[in-house]
Amino acid sequence: MSDPTRTACDAELRLRRADADGLKQALARLNGKWEARLGLFRGNVPPPWWAEGLAVQPETRRQYELYLPVAEFCRDLRALAELFFACPSWIPSVLRRVGPGATCGEGRCTPLSLPDIWDEMPPALAGRVSFADMELLPLFCALAAPARFGTAPGRYPEQQTFLQEWFVNVSRNGLRVLDLGCGVGHGTYEVLALAEACGVRNPLAVGVTCEPLEAWMAAHRLLPHDPLRTSQFERFAPAVPVRFAAGDAVRLPVRGTWHLVVCNGLVGGEYLCGPETYEVLLSELERALAPGGLATFANPFHEGRSAHVAAFAALARTRGWTVQGDVRLLWLSLS
Ligand SMILES: C[S@@+](CC[C@H](N)C(=O)[O-])C[C@H]1O[C@@H](n2cnc3c(N)ncnc32)[C@H](O)[C@@H]1O
């Protein structure tokens, strides 16, 4: 029987069937190369080696980099990804080129060592340098949506509580919700489900995220690398009007205006930071927010990023936005 995950992948991601043999050969070659390197590492570096739950120390990084340089490993995975995906934009950004020509998300968070990548992998893929053919989709998905992104239902209860009241009061027919930086989409489904539960008729939600693979996982309610988080989609009705698109929050790939913009875990974080970026985002929001609309920003960041979020809020005020809440949860509106 064919694997449904792989079948979906073949159809949706347009795996180049003509290259299937080429992919297998490339995989076998790289598996051999990296297993040999791992053998050298184990023969020369005494334990303890990387293990789940152990903090990666600078010395660990140094030793792994000597035998298993992460940049080369990523380059090799990228070569596989080029054979796997018909369109290069589907390649997880962590494997894409860093540099001036890089677009949304490219080259972000360049990993310092292989253990830093393993730290974010599900247990079945972590600690490994070789993979079976069937593991490539889960591997690429894990790289596109690392655990640190943390998208999950129930992540922002305070925001939900406020929105519940807002939805009851707006009770607008055809409410349009835009979720920027939606990740794998649990939050997008959740906000739509809440709107429906509050009696909003015919709502529509669109999630935008810069990783095409994340948008694909969200649309299919399937995380091939993470069955537990896949099962969390079950709480949302399958036929809800939620759509996903790959794109940049500062160059919106959607038209029209939106009554509610949700933008959680993005502004002031490591991927969307700095006064110029905030200016562009705010002007996009000024264009995209419907009259009387609301934009909300929940921030799961550590204390170290509070100043960045505060700077975003201050800039919004100078542009005439009404700003409420604090750096953990901001509400922006235009009068
Ligand atoms: C920390 S995760 C937050 C996910 C989700 N909103 C949540 O709070 O659970 C940030 C997400 O934003 C996406 N992202 C990063 N930069 C982006 C950009 N410029 N435009 C759109 N999405 C972006 C990442 O791929 C990632 O999925």
Side-chain angles (χ1 to χ4, degrees):
M1 203 175 93
S2 67
D3 174 346
T5 307
R6 186 54 179 274
T7 309
C9 174
D10 283 1
E12 299 287 336
L13 308 184
R14 293 179 292 130
L15 171 65
R16 289 172 176 163
R17 289 203 164 278
D19 285 350
D21 285 345
L23 177 66
K24 277 204 173 96
Q25 283 162 14
L27 182 61
R29 202 172 52 247
L30 293 182
N31 281 344
K33 168 181 166 180
W34 287 96
E35 281 300 334
R37 296 261 187 106
L38 189 61
L40 268 182
F41 171 86
R42 289 189 175 140
N44 288 283
V45 177
W49 301 318
W50 176 88
E52 203 189 331
L54 292 185
V56 184
Q57 302 296 339
E59 181 55 15
T60 316
R61 289 196 177 105
R62 198 188 63 76
Q63 288 176 328
Y64 273 90
E65 279 299 280
L66 279 178
Y67 294 90
L68 300 151
V70 69
E72 189 177 340
F73 186 72
C74 287
R75 264 199 307 278
D76 283 353
L77 285 188
R78 185 197 162 115
L80 285 180
E82 279 168 2
L83 293 169
F84 189 87
F85 297 111
C87 178
S89 67
W90 285 81
I91 298 172
S93 65
V94 69
L95 304 180
R96 279 187 252 146
R97 177 171 56 88
V98 190
T103 57
C104 171
E106 282 190 11
R108 64 190 188 186
C109 226
T110 310
L112 297 172
S113 70
L114 207 45
D116 291 283
I117 292 194
W118 289 338
D119 258 357
E120 305 220 286
M121 291 267 171
L125 297 169
R128 292 174 50 192
V129 295
S130 62
F131 305 94
D133 191 21
M134 299 299 287
E135 289 175 316
L136 288 180
L137 179 63
L139 175 68
F140 293 136
C141 287
L143 289 167
R148 115 186 88 90
F149 287 177
T151 314
R155 194 175 189 192
Y156 305 108
E158 210 186 317
Q159 184 179 55
Q160 292 280 302
T161 305
F162 182 95
L163 281 178
Q164 195 166 359
E165 205 176 311
W166 191 77
F167 284 140
V168 169
N169 289 329
V170 292
S171 67
R172 196 190 304 263
N173 191 12
L175 187 98
R176 287 162 58 89
V177 181
L178 183 61
D179 184 6
L180 298 180
C182 65
V184 292
H186 293 101
T188 322
Y189 287 102
E190 186 171 45
V191 81
L192 188 105
L194 183 66
E196 284 185 328
C198 293
V200 174
R201 279 171 295 124
N202 305 313
L204 165 76
V206 171
V208 171
T209 189
C210 67
E211 291 275 354
L213 265 183
E214 282 185 316
W216 178 82
M217 288 185 263
H220 290 83
R221 305 155 63 107
L222 171 73
L223 278 62
H225 61 296
D226 194 336
L228 182 68
R229 285 167 72 219
T230 294
S231 70
Q232 291 172 337
F233 285 113
E234 283 164 17
R235 66 186 73 179
F236 307 117
V240 287
V242 178
R243 310 281 174 266
F244 294 92
D248 195 336
V250 295
R251 216 174 306 131
L252 287 178
V254 290
R255 278 185 281 174
T257 57
W258 304 82
H259 305 106
L260 174 68
V261 175
V262 177
C263 185
N264 294 339
L266 184 59
V267 177
E270 61 188 310
Y271 305 125
L272 208 153
C273 194
E276 282 166 29
T277 318
Y278 300 157
E279 292 273 9
V280 185
L281 177 66
L282 285 166
S283 58
E284 281 291 76
L285 291 180
E286 284 154 17
R287 180 182 62 75
L289 204 64
L294 187 63
T296 174
F297 304 77
N299 298 306
F301 311 129
H302 57 76
E303 277 303 303
R305 302 220 66 93
S306 297
H308 299 290
V309 182
F312 170 73
L315 185 65
R317 278 195 192 93
T318 67
R319 292 177 68 109
W321 290 80
T322 300
V323 179
Q324 290 173 299
D326 58 25
V327 292
R328 309 300 305 168
L329 181 57
L330 286 174
W331 301 93
L332 268 62
S333 56
L334 283 167
S335 39

